[in-house]
């Protein structure tokens, strides 16, 4: 799919260098091969951009009347309330989302349980397989088995990233003058459909380029471990860490080691000592094995959060969590913010609107590119 074709209307290979011919050939056939996958991922991405906002408007069980932070019930009481209603279900964790939001309880089930954090009353029990979950499965796996679908979407994203770069090479004018500037930066809205389609593909493809590269690259970071590790290193990670003297904390007494008591202590510690913003939004995950570390999550804001790990015996914060607290390096912030950069939550609603528009334009590129190729193919057949 030629995302940025020649502006002359002539076959893109005529009079071109060998590099240009190869670039144009790869751009066309790789675009045709990945077009439908890119379209599906872009459209589902558009929908997922506003998942949080839509759910807040359509799911009354998510919201409660805000009260004083001191009245929030600890994880042990939320746990007990859910276990009383669902005694045979294993509870994996509790998600506090703020003073005016219900607590989401992660249970061994296809349902999600929401609890009022002040009264422990269950506000809702909803199917995990909701509309947005289905859309997310399409975005990540094309509604196929995860092992297969994730590989297809990962490599389709890789191809799309290449198409954006090769398209820029095709788009770049040999000479800068009034004619090339107009044809490269302006859509001729009053032109016939064929020319309008070409401009929508060529010009809009250029304007969406930077955001499309960012969206696809952040997607690639989530898909390829080797790329994530390489990017982390290039951005300043993996520096030699100086040896630090670690104080050995005294193990807690046996009653304190109960997972619910420990969860309450960690929950309080995160809110009062560690959280830097949005202090009442905390996730506490119960270890599957008593020997496992406790996991907590805090500072959840605009799609970014901090991962915290606590020793199950002492409840002390483990050294691997230190990089997420205080003056973290750019490489750590980048990895932590990758998801937010991918979905456009990094700047709130304004960037989400921009990302939605960019994703919609990305979805249009395979369609307009296919029509350009199909039109030229029909023209060649009619001449023959």
């Amino acid at each position: 799919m030629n995302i940025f074709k020649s502006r002359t209307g002539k076959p893109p290979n005529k009079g071109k260098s060998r590099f240009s011919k190869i670039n144009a050939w790869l751009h066309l056939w790789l675009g045709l091969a990945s077009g439908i996958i890119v379209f599906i991922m872009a459209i589902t991405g558009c929908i997922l951009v506003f998942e949080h906002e839509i759910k807040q408007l359509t799911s009354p069980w998510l919201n409660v009347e805000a009260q004083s932070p001191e009245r929030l019930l600890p994880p042990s009481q939320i746990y007990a309330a859910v276990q009383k209603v669902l005694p045979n279900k294993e509870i994996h964790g509790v998600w506090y989302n703020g003073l005016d939001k219900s607590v989401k309880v992660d249970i061994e089930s296809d349902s999600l349980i929401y609890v009022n954090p002040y009264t422990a009353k269950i506000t809702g029990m909803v199917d995990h397989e909701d509309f947005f979950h289905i859309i997310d499965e399409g975005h990540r796996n094309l509604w196929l088995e995860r092992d297969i679908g994730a590989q297809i979407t990962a490599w389709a994203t890789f191809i799309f990233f290449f198409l954006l770069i090769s398209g820029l090479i095709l788009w770049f004018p040999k000479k800068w003058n009034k004619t090339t500037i107009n044809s490269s930066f302006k859509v001729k809205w009053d032109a016939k459909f064929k020319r309008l389609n070409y401009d929508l593909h060529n010009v809009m493809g250029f304007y969406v380029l930077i955001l499309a590269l960012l969206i696809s690259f952040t997607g690639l970071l989530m898909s390829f471990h080797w790329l994530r590790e390489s990017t982390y290193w290039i951005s300043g990670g993996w520096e030699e860490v100086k040896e630090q003297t670690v104080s050995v904390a005294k193990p807690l007494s046996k009653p304190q080691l109960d997972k619910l008591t420990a969860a309450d202590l960690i929950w309080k510690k995160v809110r009062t000592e560690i959280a830097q913003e949005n202090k009442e939004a905390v996730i506490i995950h119960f270890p599957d094995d008593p020997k496992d570390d406790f996991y907590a999550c805090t500072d959840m804001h605009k799609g970014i959060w901090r991962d915290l790990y606590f020793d199950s015996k002492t409840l002390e914060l483990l050294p691997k969590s230190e990089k997420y607290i205080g003056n973290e390096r750019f490489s750590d912030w980048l990895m932590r913010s990758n998801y937010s950069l991918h979905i456009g939550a990094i700047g709130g609603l304004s960037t989400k609107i921009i990302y939605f528009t960019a994703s919609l334009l990305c979805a249009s590129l395979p369609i307009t590119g296919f029509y350009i190729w199909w039109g030229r193919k029909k023209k060649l057949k009619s001449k023959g």
Side-chain angles (χ1 to χ4, degrees):
M1 215 136 328
N2 265 349
I3 291 185
F4 309 97
K5 279 187 178 267
S6 163
R7 289 159 300 282
T8 62
K10 296 179 181 179
N13 288 341
K14 190 173 181 179
K16 299 289 185 179
S17 66
R18 178 174 295 181
F19 170 79
S20 297
K21 291 178 181 179
I22 294 174
N23 182 62
W25 185 87
L26 288 173
H27 190 82
L28 170 62
W29 293 108
L30 288 177
L32 289 172
S34 64
I36 186 63
I37 302 171
V38 171
F39 174 79
I40 292 172
M41 294 179 69
I43 287 295
T44 52
C46 283
I47 299 171
L48 292 172
V49 166
F50 294 111
E51 176 183 2
H52 178 76
E53 287 76 12
I54 295 173
K55 280 186 175 180
Q56 288 298 319
L57 293 174
T58 60
S59 307
W61 55 84
L62 295 179
N63 304 303
V64 298
E65 184 179 351
Q67 299 182 34
S68 170
E70 288 72 24
R71 300 194 63 180
L72 285 172
L73 298 177
S76 59
Q77 293 189 37
I78 302 296
Y79 186 105
V82 175
Q83 194 174 54
K84 185 177 180 180
V85 178
L86 301 168
N88 298 321
K89 297 294 184 180
E90 184 177 355
I91 301 172
H92 297 293
V94 292
W95 299 41
Y96 291 83
N97 295 301
L99 295 177
D100 60 345
K101 300 291 186 300
S102 297
V103 174
K104 184 172 72 172
V105 181
D106 182 14
I107 64 174
E108 188 181 20
S109 169
D110 290 332
S111 299
L112 295 173
I113 310 299
Y114 293 90
V115 181
N116 188 311
Y118 306 105
T119 65
K121 180 181 178 180
I122 293 179
T123 60
M125 298 177 63
V126 299
D127 189 356
H128 177 65
E129 302 285 340
D130 63 1
F131 170 75
F132 285 104
H133 177 78
I134 295 171
I135 295 298
D136 186 63
E137 284 295 306
H139 186 73
R140 295 173 183 267
N141 311 316
L142 300 177
W143 302 289
L144 301 172
E145 290 292 332
R146 180 172 297 180
D147 291 342
I148 299 173
Q151 286 295 314
I152 295 174
T153 55
W155 286 106
T157 305
F158 185 87
I159 291 172
F160 183 64
F161 187 82
F162 167 79
L163 290 174
L164 292 168
I165 297 173
S166 65
L168 178 63
I169 295 171
L170 290 170
W171 169 90
F172 203 86
K174 281 188 175 181
K175 296 181 180 179
W176 291 100
N177 53 46
K178 186 176 181 179
T179 301
T180 58
I181 288 174
N182 286 334
S183 62
S184 300
F185 295 100
K186 295 181 180 179
V187 176
K188 195 173 182 180
W189 296 103
D190 58 348
K192 292 183 179 180
F193 177 76
K194 186 176 180 180
R195 172 57 190 271
L196 177 60
N197 178 78
Y198 170 78
D199 280 356
L200 290 173
H201 188 77
N202 185 58
V203 179
M204 292 303 181
F206 170 77
Y207 284 126
V208 80
L209 177 67
I210 299 299
L211 267 183
L213 286 171
L214 177 61
I215 293 170
S216 55
F217 186 74
T218 50
L220 290 173
L221 289 180
M222 290 185 276
S223 300
F224 296 108
H225 179 73
W226 61 267
L227 181 61
R228 185 177 180 87
E229 296 294 293
S230 300
T231 303
Y232 181 70
W233 174 71
I234 292 171
S235 59
W238 306 124
E239 293 180 3
E240 186 176 349
V241 180
K242 296 181 179 179
E243 292 186 6
Q244 296 179 348
T245 303
V246 180
S247 59
V248 180
K250 185 179 179 181
L252 300 175
S253 61
K254 198 166 185 179
Q256 287 178 303
L257 292 178
D258 173 75
K259 70 176 182 180
L260 295 182
T261 304
D264 288 354
L265 291 172
I266 290 173
W267 175 68
K268 182 178 180 180
K269 185 173 185 176
V270 170
R271 292 172 58 230
T272 58
E273 300 178 20
I274 299 176
Q276 299 177 4
E277 58 181 333
N278 202 15
K279 295 178 180 291
E280 311 310 331
V282 178
I283 297 174
I284 301 293
H285 184 270
F286 305 117
D288 296 326
D289 188 292
K291 296 180 181 179
D292 293 342
D293 300 328
F294 262 92
Y295 168 77
C297 182
T298 187
D299 292 331
M300 294 172 284
H301 185 58
K302 294 182 178 180
I304 306 176
W305 58 87
R306 298 180 190 273
D307 293 316
L308 306 172
Y309 298 90
F310 295 84
D311 188 287
S312 59
K313 295 180 180 179
T314 65
L315 303 190
E316 292 294 319
L317 191 66
L318 293 172
K320 63 181 177 180
S321 302
E322 294 294 339
K323 65 181 181 179
Y324 297 119
I325 302 174
N327 297 321
E328 62 182 340
R329 294 178 299 187
F330 172 74
S331 55
D332 295 318
W333 176 88
L334 183 62
M335 296 298 103
R336 191 165 61 87
S337 306
N338 186 69
Y339 177 73
S340 183
L341 290 168
H342 184 69
I343 66 171
I346 192 74
L349 184 60
S350 58
T351 52
K352 283 191 172 188
I353 293 172
I354 295 172
Y355 268 62
F356 173 84
T357 306
S359 294
L360 201 60
L361 289 174
C362 287
S364 73
L365 294 177
I367 299 173
T368 53
F370 177 83
Y371 184 81
I372 292 172
W373 170 78
W374 185 256
R376 289 181 175 174
K377 185 179 178 182
K378 286 178 65 178
K379 186 177 180 179
L380 290 174
K381 280 186 177 181
S382 64
K383 285 183 177 180

